[in-house]
Amino acid sequence: MKVVAQIKDPVNREMELFETKFRDSMSSKVALLNRITYYIVNRKGKQMRPMFVFLTAKLLNNGEVNERTYRGASVIELIHTATLVHDDVVDESNKRRGFFSINALWKNKIAVLVGDYLLSKGLLLSIDNGDFDLLRIISVAVREMSEGELLQIEKARRLDITEEVYYDIIRQKTATLIAACCSMGACSVKPESAEVETFRKFGEYCGMAFQIKDDLFDYGEQKIGKPTGIDIKEQKMTLPLIYALNTCTKAEKKWLINSVKNHNRDKKRVKEVIAFVKDQGGLFYAESKMHEFKRLALDILLTYPQTNYRDSLELMVNYVVDRKK
């Protein structure tokens, strides 16, 4: 059995029912919108985020979920989908998971409006059912994701990023949504309990490890659906590069910054930067930090009794750092 199928196994029934509820939560009276949301639903990814919601809820509630858990998972997926649609517009990306993006098929204006629609649907799903605690979790996540993206853009202009600022960026940009999934799962079955914060931290550590792994792909040889060196081309300061900048000589630092700032479209120069970062030990350092975050996540998880839900979450944490794409 493939790892993702193994992770999903204890929540298979819930995931099937979730897909129906999720499709219903997207429905509209506008035919064009329904056509686009149908396209989105049929090109879904692994759906790791709803799995986090269901596995956390079942771990904390003797294998049971409730309607709030389904609504929480739907809200997460609606908001996540909205951010992906908007990201593709911002990045001028024509492909998403090997398929044409919404902006490639229906142009930017429609893509932005569809993203807004999905965002409002997610918020209304919580409001209409009085799930104000769940609404707070997702609203904080949306605010943090926006701040993280803007902080990254601001720093890319000046290339003056420290390791601490990098952690701030990835915590807000990526980890906050996975943290929201886990706290949402906990809150759906145990509102106002200490577990809501405990699992927010668990999700945050998973998300930090996930993003560092993503950054490492930029230096890899394997085909992962995006060309290597893309972060350098986009002047994104990732952990391997930050480490190299902090440990090299003044002259090397000057060359490195000049390469990222002024020669990031030069394929030969980008390859030289990748080789330099590797030689400087940037990849080894980033990997060690990724494993630190993985350990922190597992330390939280392993305080709970062993069940197949805990096993799946443990598999999920390991999958985050072991995945090939």
Side-chain angles (χ1 to χ4, degrees), residues 6 12 87 135 146 150 157 216 232 250 288 307 309:
Q6 262 182 286
N12 261 331
D87 279 353
L135 179 63
S146 308
L150 287 163
R157 286 181 180 153
L216 284 163
I232 295 165
K250 257 188 175 170
S288 70
T307 59
Y309 314 116

Side-chain angles (χ1 to χ4, degrees), residues 53-100:
V53 177
F54 289 118
L55 286 167
T56 303
K58 292 186 92 168
L59 173 72
L60 295 174
N61 200 38
N62 302 317
E64 297 296 320
V65 299
N66 55 33
E67 280 305 312
R68 270 165 55 87
T69 317
Y70 285 104
R71 289 197 295 271
S74 291
V75 168
I76 288 281
E77 199 66 352
L78 283 163
I79 303 293
H80 175 57
T81 309
T83 61
L84 294 183
V85 172
H86 282 164
D87 279 353
D88 287 340
V89 175
V90 171
D91 298 339
E92 297 175 350
S93 175
N94 290 323
K95 287 281 181 83
R96 165 73 59 185
R97 297 185 189 118
F99 296 98
F100 284 113

Side-chain angles (χ1 to χ4, degrees), residues 102-130:
I102 304 301
N103 47 301
L105 292 172
W106 285 281
K107 303 294 177 239
N108 283 352
K109 185 176 181 179
I110 288 175
V112 170
L113 292 169
V114 167
D116 292 346
Y117 172 77
L118 295 172
L119 189 66
S120 68
K121 275 294 220 181
L123 302 178
L124 282 167
L125 183 61
S126 296
I127 291 165
D128 291 347
N129 290 283

Side-chain angles (χ1 to χ4, degrees), residues 135 178 191 213 317:
L135 179 63
I178 297 174
K213 179 71 173 181
V317 176

Side-chain angles (χ1 to χ4, degrees), residues 31-41 102 106 110-111 114:
L32 173 62
L33 248 175
N34 285 334
R35 229 175 22 253
I36 296 170
T37 54
Y38 178 81
Y39 179 81
I40 290 169
V41 167
I102 304 301
W106 285 281
I110 288 175
V114 167

Side-chain angles (χ1 to χ4, degrees), residues 137-306:
I137 291 169
I138 197 63
S139 299
V140 168
V142 171
R143 184 198 70 203
E144 294 217 319
M145 285 155 71
S146 308
E147 284 179 347
E149 286 287 357
L150 287 163
L151 180 60
Q152 185 169 53
I153 290 165
E154 179 194 334
K155 293 297 176 184
R157 286 181 180 153
R158 299 209 301 269
L159 300 187
D160 62 343
I161 186 167
T162 63
E163 197 172 318
E164 283 313 303
V165 171
Y166 165 80
Y167 291 136
D168 272 348
I169 289 170
I170 68 168
R171 183 184 57 74
Q172 291 181 302
K173 198 181 93 146
T174 303
T176 194
L177 192 60
I178 297 174
C181 295
C182 299
S183 58
M184 195 80 98
C187 192
S188 70
V189 293
K190 290 202 164 182
E192 295 179 31
S193 69
E195 265 95 0
V196 178
E197 174 57 19
T198 301
F199 275 86
R200 188 197 67 76
K201 284 306 279 184
F202 165 76
E204 186 177 287
Y205 294 141
C206 280
M208 300 290 276
F210 180 92
Q211 187 56 54
I212 295 172
K213 179 71 173 181
D214 249 23
D215 293 348
L216 284 163
F217 282 138
D218 207 46
Y219 294 85
E221 310 295 331
Q222 68 270 62
K223 292 268 182 288
I224 51 149
K226 72 168 189 175
T228 52
I230 201 117
D231 289 338
I232 295 165
K233 289 187 186 84
E234 292 175 1
Q235 298 187 10
K236 282 182 185 166
M237 301 293 285
T238 60
L239 191 53
L241 184 59
I242 293 163
Y243 179 80
L245 278 168
N246 289 338
T247 54
C248 63
T249 65
K250 257 188 175 170
E252 287 167 337
K253 188 172 186 174
K254 195 176 174 186
W255 171 82
L256 208 47
I257 288 175
N258 183 35
S259 300
V260 175
K261 237 180 182 164
N262 304 315
H263 303 281
N264 54 13
R265 300 280 163 193
D266 178 341
K267 280 184 181 173
K268 184 173 173 285
R269 190 73 166 254
V270 168
K271 273 187 177 171
E272 286 170 5
V273 169
I274 289 172
F276 179 80
V277 170
K278 282 180 178 174
D279 291 345
Q280 203 66 22
L283 270 63
F284 180 79
Y285 181 77
E287 276 172 12
S288 70
K289 286 292 176 185
M290 174 182 75
H291 285 290
E292 265 179 46
F293 284 115
K294 170 188 146 178
R295 187 72 256 155
L296 287 167
L298 290 175
D299 285 349
I300 290 173
L301 194 58
L302 298 178
T303 60
Y304 289 84
Q306 193 269 325

